Every structure is written in structure tokens, then in C-alpha cells.
Amino acid sequence: MIPKKVLEEKFRKFVEEDVGQGDITTLLTVPSGTIVEANVLVKESGVIAGIDEALMFLESFGLQANPLVSDGSEVKTKTAVLKITGNARTLLSIERTLLNLLSRMSGIATVTRRLVERLRKAGYETRVACTRKMAPGLAYFDKRAVMIGGGDTHRLHLDDMILVKDNHIAIVGDIKTAMKKVREAVSFSKKVEIEVSTIEEALEAAEAGVDIVMLDNFTPKQAKKTVELLKKKGLRDRVLAESSGGITEKNILEFAAAGVDIISLGEITDSVKALDMSLEIVKVRKRKS
Amino acid sequence: MIPKKVLEEKFRKFVEEDVGQGDITTLLTVPSGTIVEANVLVKESGVIAGIDEALMFLESFGLQANPLVSDGSEVKTKTAVLKITGNARTLLSIERTLLNLLSRMSGIATVTRRLVERLRKAGYETRVACTRKMAPGLAYFDKRAVMIGGGDTHRLHLDDMILVKDNHIAIVGDIKTAMKKVREAVSFSKKVEIEVSTIEEALEAAEAGVDIVMLDNFTPKQAKKTVELLKKKGLRDRVLAESSGGITEKNILEFAAAGVDIISLGEITDSVKALDMSLEIVKVRKRKS
Amino acid sequence: MIPKKVLEEKFRKFVEEDVGQGDITTLLTVPSGTIVEANVLVKESGVIAGIDEALMFLESFGLQANPLVSDGSEVKTKTAVLKITGNARTLLSIERTLLNLLSRMSGIATVTRRLVERLRKAGYETRVACTRKMAPGLAYFDKRAVMIGGGDTHRLHLDDMILVKDNHIAIVGDIKTAMKKVREAVSFSKKVEIEVSTIEEALEAAEAGVDIVMLDNFTPKQAKKTVELLKKKGLRDRVLAESSGGITEKNILEFAAAGVDIISLGEITDSVKALDMSLEIVKVRKRKS
Amino acid sequence: MIPKKVLEEKFRKFVEEDVGQGDITTLLTVPSGTIVEANVLVKESGVIAGIDEALMFLESFGLQANPLVSDGSEVKTKTAVLKITGNARTLLSIERTLLNLLSRMSGIATVTRRLVERLRKAGYETRVACTRKMAPGLAYFDKRAVMIGGGDTHRLHLDDMILVKDNHIAIVGDIKTAMKKVREAVSFSKKVEIEVSTIEEALEAAEAGVDIVMLDNFTPKQAKKTVELLKKKGLRDRVLAESSGGITEKNILEFAAAGVDIISLGEITDSVKALDMSLEIVKVRKRKS
Amino acid sequence: MIPKKVLEEKFRKFVEEDVGQGDITTLLTVPSGTIVEANVLVKESGVIAGIDEALMFLESFGLQANPLVSDGSEVKTKTAVLKITGNARTLLSIERTLLNLLSRMSGIATVTRRLVERLRKAGYETRVACTRKMAPGLAYFDKRAVMIGGGDTHRLHLDDMILVKDNHIAIVGDIKTAMKKVREAVSFSKKVEIEVSTIEEALEAAEAGVDIVMLDNFTPKQAKKTVELLKKKGLRDRVLAESSGGITEKNILEFAAAGVDIISLGEITDSVKALDMSLEIVKVRKRKS
Amino acid sequence: MIPKKVLEEKFRKFVEEDVGQGDITTLLTVPSGTIVEANVLVKESGVIAGIDEALMFLESFGLQANPLVSDGSEVKTKTAVLKITGNARTLLSIERTLLNLLSRMSGIATVTRRLVERLRKAGYETRVACTRKMAPGLAYFDKRAVMIGGGDTHRLHLDDMILVKDNHIAIVGDIKTAMKKVREAVSFSKKVEIEVSTIEEALEAAEAGVDIVMLDNFTPKQAKKTVELLKKKGLRDRVLAESSGGITEKNILEFAAAGVDIISLGEITDSVKALDMSLEIVKVRKRKS
């Protein structure tokens, strides 16, 4: 997690964009000094994510907030997940940003949890990972929601792992040259992954000593064959296998059955279905004098 | 549209977040000074949005870009939509951010267009509007994509229209008081909209002189009744009717049939399905010397 | 109003610019830990604006502040308008920025109020509006001061109303084409205004269905004629008339007499006379230990 | 002057504030790719300031600009001062910010020049200085305009000179103690000024070795007496005398006659009368293809 | 490397801090429009680092620059390393920032190279790594200089590797619990390192499956013993050993002889000796007209 | 000193750079809600600087801090200088940044104090000044540390004194012309210094009326000769002499003996040796419930 002081700059920018020169509706209708109590309600069942961030957000805008559920909880429709008390003008000015953040994060956590559960129920320990296919500017929130949902965050940005992809190979020429260049200069602190498009490349990469091999757009059958050949060649213990591309909620069990260690899906974070939520004012008080 | 100089600050921040201390994979594998040509390919059919923004983005990072289609074009799978030439290291460092932006905007434009077309084919001129349910920080891009898709952008932020919602009423007490407060102080430059939850409130609001009345969670039947009563009372010409809440691709025609002017859906921007795209390097050149 | 958290970033930047590497005079003369009480005094009569902003400003710098008058109050010379308690070094470091903000806002509110009163005393309900002629970067404060003075804020920025001006017409060709383009694409949430330079254009615009017609540099006589013709053609109820250009405190009543709805003056915000103020330390205390 | 790269961040923020989610009027009316030529015209006589900044501003937004007069020129009404060529959408989006900046700076230069000329014509070499009474955030532009008008910029911020004011004395106790504290720790690179309110204090300060003594709210008579006593005591050559407070265009010659070295007026920068200007499109071209 | 567009924001901030309200000396002495040619000269021998960053810096301020040596070159005193052409006022305004950056980076690369060479000459392949002991805000430049000097960058920030340190253990209780917590939740994309203070802990950590074990303040003798025991227990191939703490240029060979894989020193980046450099103007030209 | 509100933005940026997407080690190992007490310990003797800044830093991240020594104290190894209480996750996330700042500032203060003491013990009142050779972005902290160490901060940035250097002269032609240009336009609020490379130039500059003459790379002998000639010509009282270039801890007394007023050394701030420090957790508490 990022310290509140750092994160609140992101919140400030979100609100700044939305508020423009001020929430004129609220200015004209809500008397200065009005204090309200309000709840955030979910309007469909799902997994809640973003409670910690919401608390920091609200606090940094001078509002008091109490979590009614914790991050990662599965909730039913109509559950109140957060109780907020404070200045009505401020609350109404940031309501939409708050809900947008919470409903996106919860939407991500919900689908992640569903995929993970599907694997666990079928007896697989395979990891479900997201990718860097995200909404620009929201990496922290999207990755955190995946983590809360029980998924693996994969690379956080471009500097935390070596991931040689098809376009790198297209420039360098071949996997062997790419791996040689990487090995010569990579920091001991980084893992190395390479994206491959054939079984032969997968074996070549594993032999070259990568930590993870990404089986790009492999069918479950191809993935299975790859895993078997890795075992046969005594490489299986030294390398993780990640399936990526073409994976859906429907066929995810087939990929798990293929024996890969990680299954990654861009859709988790680039095609989010927001979890429906709303803010409901439950009490109106005047300024204490 | 926002001038490039202003917009490129947003692009810079998106990349800064993603790039961390640098794209170490590219640094280790791609020789300094390599020049490449690449295409952005769509991998499913849809409506393209974000081409103008992509051009500004690429230019501001020193890459040359040529649009192969224009914003709003409907394209088939495998269409190249953008041709890019320039420094390979830079291109690979910003590839993901570029695709994330384009695929989100195109996803929004695609669904917007589909909804609009559905109405037009059925002979309705009803507007399809988005709301402020968006990914935080992406308001400009989300609203612009809706516009490209043929939708209405609705409020851009909290300062460009009066929109009295349920929570304002909860504080103020009733519609009448709210409208009185608004009328006393609102700038002549703003339109006034009010959210109502019953037919009676809709009529009351129209009589109070609002520009738009938002029928919140009305069934098509209730919406129709409201429109008829507005006509009957001679108010229909003075007020626009907007249906909001509970509207889907399936029932949208029923709302149009009810005779409202605007139909708004949060899902357009808060539950985006990204349009699948990729970057394909088509030529590798060395630095000209 | 903008939430404190957002506004305080503006305050921080104002002080950062002024403070450079630190208030060296204060550092060398005022002992660390000194606590003072001080008053902000006005040194000429006028209308106070910016009290709410000053409170947020002072609070965000860790100073306690109590308003002695509220925004919009008319005060006489030597009135104390704000009482401040806190760290002397901080207070002296931000004194100038505080006074610059308050005296500018109060200067704007003072002239706005004077113009509005002049109209009201003569029995006119005509609105006095400012324009976008402002000090760059101070839009929020300038517009807010106008509102506090009783004026109309007009457009807040370039995205909250359509205002077709002479330069747009110069490019498009004529009013008709401009209006056609606007009507095809404008969001239902926006009002549409057009700037005209002849009576004929004014009528043409009104017939084209604009919400407001801006009579640019019309004499009171021309304005009156326009209003009469609008009435005659049955258009008066559907369009607001705004006079702009060449209006001064002296001739403002003539414009009001012409029957326009809005009178706008750039001078209110681009030729501000600051209301003279100073900070007076009234008590010096040491740090409590 | 500040390098363009640094300054353009200020310009970007000015435009960002004004443009919001985009100049919707221009978007709807002006075709993409339209190229225009335009002139900035002054509409009253005055001294031009801000041309260099305007050039940097326009260039940083991708517009070509040619100065028709240089900073500091005195121009008559209807003079074209700047010729601009470029993208019409961009130009119209930044027009207001450009004019706001130029007209404020020129207004400041105009009044400064007038005051300086008044002194020079009467045979005085006295300097006319501004103060830190400015519009928050505009210090660079306001100070630069004063310089172009022939005035002295005084302190640029709180770190470039020691200026002991009444509130410092109120805390420290007396001038002597204040001066002692300053002398013990002040960097050799700084000048030291002290604000005094009586002739005795002025002499005391001069004897304490300050570089400049500020005669706060002295009448011309008191100022004269002070200067004479400084001479008499052999201190005149070692100290500069600055008159500040209560100085107007009318009485400025009396202060000069008193023999002070510097006359400072807050009004120059806190009560600016903008020099009227407008942008006139002179040619419309389409995008070259 | 970070794309120029992102990096230049850092450069802008560096200059902004230094330039204040403008380089007044240059403004008063150097005529507007003066063009100069200048060289950056080193004034002592060393390894150059920062040339690429300097080129981006200079370009982003509108100056032309040609590298005379490339990053990583060893140069003798009086070598010209960079040739710059452009606006004299701009160059003089950014001269100090440019030199501060280059001389710090080159100082870091110089000491790193010296340490690496010392190991290589003695026949060791041990890596020399820096730590996160750096000047705040300069992580990118400090790490990059280490890389150019031939060192290992270690962790880039807090999110790219798990590094369990003494303070984590102090809270968690013991290594075993810490490792258990890490293993349960760590992303497959991260390496795991743990800091240990005894040989027993080192073995325990290796058995627990960490990727790297950091021997904190071990003597060379203790380090050697640890390596031997790791071999004996068959763990040496699965874990890297890093010595950290108490290492100097004098005793570094003893640590290498102990057989560790990585030697890390905070001094490389927190106790930098700048490589002496200066800017020398070699030709003065006027503006071409 | 800079107000906390302004300074904490710098702290935020420092941490933001270091923390990336979050301190993943701490997240995985330290339970949410853990409260700890910790001390900052110095691990070698020196002069402490940065305590005030550290307090503001810690407070702005929500941590309680108590200084155990004050800025400028000389401490022995193993002294606890700061006691911190608060959220363990936050503290561990900012630990490195805190120590980097404190150890750099203390390193600067330590060497400054040593140089000053050496002069004082030998009976000289000569000032020890730093220059603008600093780590980019750290000017405030570096200058402040010099001040705490008893040194003179010299110019804070490019706008607070005129300092005509060799490169200015190279462009202008000669000292006389440079001084003429400066005198014509310099604000009364600024001191004027000129860098000279011969005794003749030094005298010429003094005669031209500069406030300070910088003897660049003069030997102690040349410096002494210059001071004598200044006396002889009756100029010594009107000008300060600063020796700069080639000064070390070893030869500093010779320069003092030469009779100059100021001795400046770039090494104080560009070749800092950090004072070794660490953070030690002394108590672990759970969240109070």
C-alpha cells in the first residue's frame, strides 16, 4: 500500500478534474455548515475492494468514515459498506469520485474472486493474474483490487521484471540473442520472463534459464504438451509456465488442467464491470454551534 | 478538444506511472538508436475513438504517427488504424499506455454507437447520453469517446449545469424549496435539471421551470405517462425529459417509445469492454547516420 | 465552492512562489515557537469577499482563524475582518499572499455590489455579469468574488456554455452556418449564446433558437431597438439579451433602461482596484511548554 | 527571464484552468485543420509588455508568432502588436488567456512608465518601485512588467533581501534588537532594509548599518526632514531612503522633491487597469494537404 | 531509460528551483538573441555518466548538443565531453543544473567502475551493487550512473523485490514467520531477499527458499563460512549471497574472496564525490537575422 | 524556513519516487494497524541537521515525532536523535527517505562546522560559504544544512544577487562593460558581485563599485596582495573579498590569513559524505481497539 500522504494527491486530482470551478448545485441548495450522515450501499452482490483507499480519500477531504465491511468481503445487494459523517457540501462534491473508485475496484475484485474460486473448487492451485491492460492512471487501484480479489498482480510497471515480448524479439532477431543480452546486464534483483509463441520456443527459453515462460495464445492442448516436455527435459522445477491470451471464464479450467502455474487475463482490468453502488443520506444535522 | 500542450501533461503522467524507473526489458534488448515502423491493429470489429488523442500522445513523445482511419470509423478485425515510425525504445516504453487508451476509448465509442444505431433504426431521434459514472481521472477521454460514438456527453463536471439530485432534496426538504434556492442564484448561463422519482414530482419540477427533468428509475410505462401529462399541461415544449436508471441494450427501445428526449446509461463509461488491439512492428531500421 | 483539499493546492503554489527558499527576515528575527494573535484590518470601506477561502488557506497552513464578518458584508474602514492565532513564523511568511487574495477578491466584490446597487436603486432587475477577462490562474477567486458581490459569474470556462463569438463567425462564414453546426452536435446540457454586432444579426440569432444573444458594443439605443423588435416578433420570451462592451458605471443605467436582461463588464475582473488591508499583530505569546 | 521550458508550465496551467474539458464552441464550429492568421490589436494607447512571454506562450502551443512591436514600446490605439499564424482551434482556445496576460502586463507597464516619466520630466532620478502587493501566482509577470515599464522590481520574493517590517518589530520588541539578530546571521549576499515609522527610527536604523531605510507612510515633509538629518549625520551616502505608503500619481513629485532614492507604490501591481486588446482574425486558410 | 518527455519534467523542476524569478545577472549582461558555442570540460580524470540525460535536458531547453564522448567512457582531465550551441541566456540559466547533474552522475560512475575493476583485476566476477541510500529525488540518476559504471542497481524502489529487513523481523518476530507470510502472498514476478545477521539465520533463510540472502555486517570470514555451509547443504545453487555493511574500497577483495555473489555499498550513492567539470564558452555569435 | 505546507510537497515527491506502487515487503509482513516506537540513531559522531525538516516530514505522514537533540547539536556515535511513534507500515515505507535526508543534511553540517571551527580556533572571523554546486532539487535542504553548520548560504538561486561570472564576461567583452550594464538596470534591492581572475581585475571591479569581488582560483598569496592593494587604494571598506576555487580543509587557514572576508567551497554540498544513521524499532504495539 502507498502511504496516505502520497495517495491523497491522486484523490485530489480526481476530484479537481470532476469539480471544475465548484459543485454549483450543492452550493446553491445545501446550506453552509450542514452536517450529514450517509451510507455507501451496494446494489448487487459482489466482493468489496477499495475500502482502505476510500477511508484515506474521505479522511483527506475532512470527512469521518467507518468501514462496515473490510476489503475482500463478499456482500449481498443492499449491504451498507461504509458509513460517512461530515460536511454535506464536501460529501456531495466528492460523492461521484468516491463511488466511481469503489465500484471499479469492487468490480475487479469480484471477477477476480470468481475466477480464483472456480479454479480452487476444481482443485487447482493455479494463480490468476492480471496484466498491464488497465485504465491509464489507475494502475495502483486496479492492481490492488486484483490482489484483494485473490489474484496475482503480475508486473507493476516496466521496471520490476524483465518481460521480453514479441516486439522485442522482432527487433532483436531471436530468443537466443535476446536472452544473451538480458543475462549480461540484468540486475540480480529481477526475474526474467519471455513470451513465446511455439512449444519449441518455450523449451528454448526454459533452457536459456528464464524464470517464467509465457505461453502466448497457446491452446490448452499446446500448453499441456509444453508442460510435459518441460518435465521430460528436467526443466519443470526451474521455470514457471504462464498461459496468456484467449482465456475466458469458460475455458479457464482447461488451462488449469494443462498444468500451467499462472493464468493471466487482460479482461480483469481492461473490461471491468463496475459493481453498482450508491450513497444514501441517512441523517441531516446542522452545524454545531 | 483540449490543446495538445495541455493534454500531453495527462499523457506524461500516464507513462510516468507505468514506466517507473525505466523500461528495463527494452533497455537491455533494444539497441539505442533503433528506428521502427509499427501498426496499431484492431483485433475485433468496432468503432475507433482516440485517434486524435493518440496522434498528440505519440507526437509529444517524439514519434511520428499517421492515422489510417479517422475517429468514429467502423472497422473490421485486423484493420490497421494507425501507423507509427520512430525510436524503438520510446515506442516500446509507451506501447501499453497507447493501447490502453485507444482500446478503452474505442470500446466506449463502440457501445455508444450500437445503442444510438438501435434507436435510429427503430426510427427514434432520442439521444443516448453517458453520465459521470466513469473511471476517475479519465473524464476527458471517456466523454470524448461517447461524443465520437454519437452520444451526448451530459454534464462534463460539477460546474456546468445545475443537476439537483435525490441527496440534495434529502437535505433541502423538497423540490419546491430546492428550485426556489436555485432560481434565486443560478447564473443565466446554466441549464437546470432535477432528478425526480415520481410522476407528480416530474410535473412539479416542470411547472417550476426546470430545463430538464430526470426520470430516475421510471419504468417505460411511467415515463410514457409523464410525457403525456407534460403534453396535456402544455409543458412539453418547455422541458426535456431524460430517462435514467435501469436501462439496458434490451429495453432501450421501450424507453424511446415512451417519448423521452434523452436516455442516459452509466454502463457506457463505468463498465467498458475494451476493444482488443495490438501493436505490430513491421520494419526495423537502424539510426540514420 | 471547491473542497478545501483541492483549493489548498492553489494556496500552496501561491505561497511557494512567494516564499522562495524561505522567509529569511522572519527566520532571523522571530524566535522559533513564537505564537501570535493578529487581525486583518480593512483600511477603506467596501464589500468583503474571500473570508471562506482565507479560512481554508490559514487552516491548511496550520493557523487558527475566526471570521469577524462574513463574505458579502459591507464594512467601514478600520474594521477587523479576521482574527488569526498561530505560529508567528508561518503567519509572517504567508501574510502577503493572504492579503493579496483578500484585497483582490474584496475589490472585485465591492465594485460588483456598487454596480448592482445602482441598478436596483433605479428599479432594474438587470443582472451584472463579469466575463472571462481575468487575471490568469485566478478564475475561481475572481468569479467567486463576483458572486459574493451579487453579480452573475457568466461562463466559468470554455466548456460550460456555447458562446459563438466574432472570431468563430469569421471562420465559419455566417451566423446561420454557425448555428446549424452547433445545433447538430451540442449537448442538451448546454445553453447556447451568440455574439452579434447588428440588430439584424440579433434577430437572426433569436430566430435560430439561441438561448442568449450578446449585443456586442451596441449603444443603449440599439439595444433598446433590438429588445423591442424581439418583442414584436414574439421572440422576447425565448431569448435573453446581454449587453457587452463599452459599458461603464456612468452609462450602465441607460443599458438597463434599454431592457436587456444581462449587462456584462470585463473591467470588474481585469481592472480590479484592491481593497486596502493590513495585518496587525495584537498579542505575542511564546510557545507553551 | 525564466527559460521557456520553465515558463510554459505556467502557461499550461493557465490554459488548463480556462479550457476545462475543452473549448466546445470552437470544437462545434471550427473545422479541424483550419489555419488562420490573426493580429493582436491594442484598443487604447499605452506601453506594451509581455511580448516575449506571449511569443513563448504561443510557440509552446504550436502557434507561430511574430512581434510587430517590442516590449516597452509605446503604442497608439489600433496598433497591431503581434501577428499569429496557426491552427484555428488552438488559437481560439487560448485567445482569452493570451489577451488576459498581455493586457495585464501592458497595463502595469503603462502606469509604471507614466510615473517614471513624470519624475524624469521634473528632473528627478528617483526610482519608482513596485511591492509584493500583486495578484497571487503572477509575481513573475507583474514584476517583469514593472521592469519593462522602467520601474524597479524591489524584492522578488521572501528570500532575496532582508526587509524587517512593523510586524517583525512588534514581535522582536525594538529596532535595535531586530538589527542585532539580523547582523549576526545574515548572509553576506543580502541587502538589509528596515521599515520605520518615525524620523528617529530612521536615523537609528541608518546608524545600525542598514542598506535601505523604508519611510513608511511619511509625509513628503517628514521624508525631507529625514533625508536632511541623514546628511547632517554623515549617513546619507551609506543608506538608501525609500518612501512607501500614501503615494499617488498626484503627490509623487513632492516625495521626489523630498530627496528619497526610491518611491514604492503597491497600486502599480495590485490595482492594475488592463490595457484593452483584442484578437482579430485576418485570414482563414484550410489545412495544406 | 525513461522517455525524454517524462524525464524533462524532472529537469524542468530542477531548473525552476534554481532559477527563481529569473537569472537576473544574465538578463542584465547578455543581450537577447546572443548565440554561443560552449564545451563541457572535465577537470579531473574519471568515468563519464549522464551524457544521454544531458542531451535530453539540453534539447528540452531548446539547446543543441553533441556528445564528444559516450556514457561510460573513461576520460582524462581537460577533456571536452559535450559541445553545446544555442541561446546564451538559456544556456547560462541552466549551466549550474547541467553541471551539477553530470558531475554527480560521473562521480558515481567513477567510483563504481573503480570498485568493479578492482574485483575484475583480482579475477572475481562478484557484482558491485548500490543500495537505496541516495539523494532523495535523484533515484533515477543515481541508479543509472551505477549501471553506467558497471554496477548492479539493486532494488529500484520499494515495489520491485521483496527485501525483508531487520525492522520487519523485529515486528514479525522471526524469519520463519516472515517467510511464511511472504510466500503465501508474493507475486510470482518478484524475487525474495532477506537480511540476516548470523550464519544460522542465513542457512535458515536459504532453506526457506529465498532467492537472495543478505549477509548484513558479516566479516569476510563469516561470509566465507556461510558460503561454505550453503554448499555443504546443497543450497548454494538455489540462493545468491549478498554482503552488505562495513565494506570499503580497502577490504572489498576480502569479501569477494569469501565467495559471495554480490557486494553492496551505500557509499556509492550517499557519499558521492562529484567529478569536477566546467562550462567554457568557445564562440559568441549574434542572432542570425 | 519554508512553511510545512509547502515543504511537505517535496517530501511527498521523494516518497512517491521511492515507494512506486507500494512497499510490498511491508504489506506482506507487517499486520495492518501495528503501532511501533522507533529511534533514529547516529552511527558516527557529527553535527545533526534536518531535525526540523524531519519533524515536518514525519508529521505530514501522520507519524508522531520527538526530537532528542536540536539542529546544530554535535553528537557522538550511537546517540538517538529522534523518537518516532506511529503506524508501522507507514514508518517502514518512509524510513529510507527519512534517513537519506537526515544523513545528507547532517553530513553537510558536519563538514561545514569543522571548517568554521578550524577558522575560529585559529582566530579568524572569515565566513565559510557554500556555492550553487549541489544535488539538483535539494537546494533548500543543502543550503539549510550549511546554515545549521554555521556557514553562509551564498546565493540561494539565480535571482537573489547579481553574480557576474567568467562566462558573462566572455560574452560581454570586459568587466567595465558588464558593470555598466548591471548598474544601469539592477534593482536597489540586490548586491552585486563579480568574479575576477587577476589582481588588476579585482581592483577594477572594486573601483567600479561592486559589493563583493570573487577572487577565482587565486592563491593565498594573490589573495593577500589583492586585499592589501584594496586597502591601499581606500577601497577595502566598500567591498567584500571572497576566495573561491582550489580551497581545501588543508589550505583554508592560508586563505583566511590572506585577509579575505568569505571563503567558498563547492565540495561542501557537491561532495557530501553522509553521516551514517539507522532506524531502530524499540517497541511494537498493536492497534488500540
Side-chain angles (χ1 to χ4, degrees), chain A residues 117-138:
Chain A
E117 299 274 289
R118 175 175 281 252
L119 292 176
R120 298 299 169 267
K121 280 179 189 153
Y124 297 109
E125 284 307 309
T126 329
R127 290 176 173 234
V128 174
C130 63
T131 67
R132 280 173 46 253
K133 295 187 175 178
M134 295 178 287
L138 295 175

Side-chain angles (χ1 to χ4, degrees), chain B residues 202-217:
Chain B
L203 298 176
E204 185 184 345
E207 272 156 11
V210 300
D211 296 294
I212 309 119
V213 61
M214 180 194 282
L215 313 176
D216 187 42
N217 282 313

